[in-house]
Amino acid sequence: MDRAKTSLSEGSIGSDFLQLDVREAPPGGLADWLAGQLRAAVADGRLPVGSRLPASRVLAAELRVSRGVVTEAYQRLIDDGHAAGRGRAGTVVVAAPVLPPAPAHIRPPSKVITSMPGVEVFDAVRAAPARIDLTPGVPDLTAFPRAAWLRAERAVLDELEPSHFGYGDPRGAPAMRLAVSHWLARSRGIRVDPGGIIVVAGVAQALTLVGEVLRQHGIDEVAVEDPSSLGARQHLHHCGLATPPVPVDEDGLRVAGLRAPAVLLTPAHQFPMGVVLGGERRRALMRWAAEGGIVVEDDYDAEHRYDRAPVPAVRSMLPEVLYTGSVSKLLAPALRVGWLLAPARFRDDLVAAKRFADLGNPVLAQLVLARLMETGELERQLRVVRSRHRRRRDAMIRSLATDLPSAVVHGAAAGLHLTITFDADLDDVALAAAALAEGVKVQPLSWHRQLPGRPGLVLGYAARTSTEIAEGVALLGRLVR
């Protein structure tokens, strides 16, 4: 082995090797130099938050320095809060150092949270390492039904005709559209002919297709709830549509405030406040639609309910609604499979938009998912994750009561996230940035607002254990105090 250079052991930090050259160390300053090298590696992502440093004796042997040098360097990282000793688990990176401003491509993770986020911010935050990721909208990915998926895939491949490997219907595989029609009838009370269903790459693509077609029909703005999903607004903006805000209260969207020709809403579990569109508001929305208004319904989190009865989809009462949903929150976002119900008025244009976007979704995944739907496996999966998500929601509520007792909790009856708001004059963007610098990832509520409102945080709980949730909320409590 080269005496001067070494790579940290793969078993400790993963497959990315960190090259250290002790010849660069100043005389008598090995511990200072080594601590600085490790901090730099944490800051630029070579040592991500959550990774384990190699045992001090192993690194000392590889560098051919005394074990005391390595131990002292590790202790300095612990003292300044960037690492933590975990007993037999070793020394673990828990936070990235906050460095002076740098060019965007090498900026530390805490700098990616800004008060006016663009699309690039979402990408940067998604990629930023975090010890505890409380990003909303992410299900428990460890619960993905791998065995059931493999069984269904084998069965599909055994039965698949060679012709299925060619180009198919841009609306989606007939078996998938039939399965979706049955699924929506069972779970959401929606009666729809399979011919009116378009299989899409998640709700995101559905919004893009709808945005393009509405523009073709001369519509240049789609009203949105306020607060509402920043990501959804960005998709509409990309299509050249304005998104005038309409306030949300405890009964959902204030329909009387609608002035635009179309509206996008999440009536079953409003994002991010978690309220349900009330009965009188639904009736007002139907009257507004009868006068020519166009309703786009994102059936967000409709399956994940804990303390309330199922809420009917608006589409079940109003056939002209442009309705979209997906399996991203039930199975995994990586599948990129969802559906769009296309009323006759827009159907041909939406199918054309899908055709020219990608010629249709991959067929094999559609057929596997269709089989899971038709055999009852998807319902069984929903029961499994609903129980697990409920326990994690309860853990977050307990932790908030202990560590953030002044915060108001919203949306606990359903979904995969909670929203909390504060009465105090608090900068939620600065709070989220400070949390990320300490290894906990959350979203500031102000990201999702266009109108003034109380500060807060949007906290996902489905993808984290109860212990992680408690630790993350405790950190938020310390930062607020």
Side-chain angles (χ1 to χ4, degrees), residues 201-432:
V203 172
Q205 187 184 43
L207 292 179
T208 298
L209 298 178
V210 168
E212 291 176 2
V213 169
L214 291 181
R215 286 280 293 174
Q216 293 170 17
H217 283 249
I219 294 168
D220 59 6
E221 60 180 10
V222 175
V224 297
E225 301 157 319
D226 193 85
S228 65
S229 166
L230 171 61
R233 297 201 310 271
Q234 288 173 337
H235 281 284
L236 295 176
H237 293 164
H238 182 72
C239 297
L241 296 166
T243 57
V246 180
V248 166
D249 59 24
E250 63 275 7
D251 286 322
L253 180 84
R254 296 180 185 174
V255 179
L258 280 174
R259 299 291 182 269
V263 63
L264 167 64
L265 72 167
T266 51
H269 184 248
Q270 198 274 335
F271 183 89
M273 302 308 294
V275 297
V276 174
L277 189 66
E280 179 53 43
R281 298 281 174 84
R282 286 173 179 251
R283 289 187 288 274
L285 183 69
M286 293 176 72
R287 291 192 294 270
W288 178 81
E291 295 171 358
I294 298 169
V295 178
V296 183
E297 179 179 14
D298 176 2
D299 207 13
Y300 187 82
D301 275 358
E303 309 94 342
H304 302 283
R305 54 185 181 273
Y306 314 114
D307 303 325
R308 68 181 182 216
V311 180
V314 173
R315 175 61 174 73
S316 67
M317 302 177 288
L318 196 61
E320 287 305 303
V321 167
L322 287 148
Y323 173 97
T324 184
S326 78
V327 294
S328 293
K329 308 299 186 293
L330 176 52
L331 291 177
L335 291 177
R336 308 312 306 137
V337 178
W339 41 84
L340 172 62
L341 307 194
R345 175 182 175 186
F346 300 111
R347 187 171 303 161
D348 290 346
D349 291 333
L350 286 168
V351 172
K354 175 62 176 175
R355 176 184 294 109
F356 290 113
D358 55 20
L359 294 180
N361 278 39
V363 172
L364 182 58
Q366 293 182 59
L367 296 178
V368 174
L369 183 55
R371 193 174 189 92
L372 294 179
M373 288 177 162
E374 298 288 49
T375 60
E377 286 286 355
L378 203 57
E379 277 94 348
R380 282 189 282 274
Q381 174 70 7
L382 178 56
R383 289 193 293 271
V384 168
V385 296
R386 186 183 286 161
S387 175
R388 187 177 300 189
H389 293 163
R390 181 200 296 267
R391 292 194 299 271
R392 293 177 178 182
R393 178 210 59 172
D394 292 346
M396 180 168 278
I397 291 174
R398 289 193 301 269
S399 297
L400 289 169
T402 300
D403 294 296
L404 281 169
S406 63
V408 179
V409 178
H410 306 264
L416 303 180
H417 74 273
L418 298 175
T419 293
I420 59 173
T421 55
F422 303 98
D423 287 325
D425 184 15
L426 180 149
D427 186 339
D428 56 10
V429 174
L431 176 58

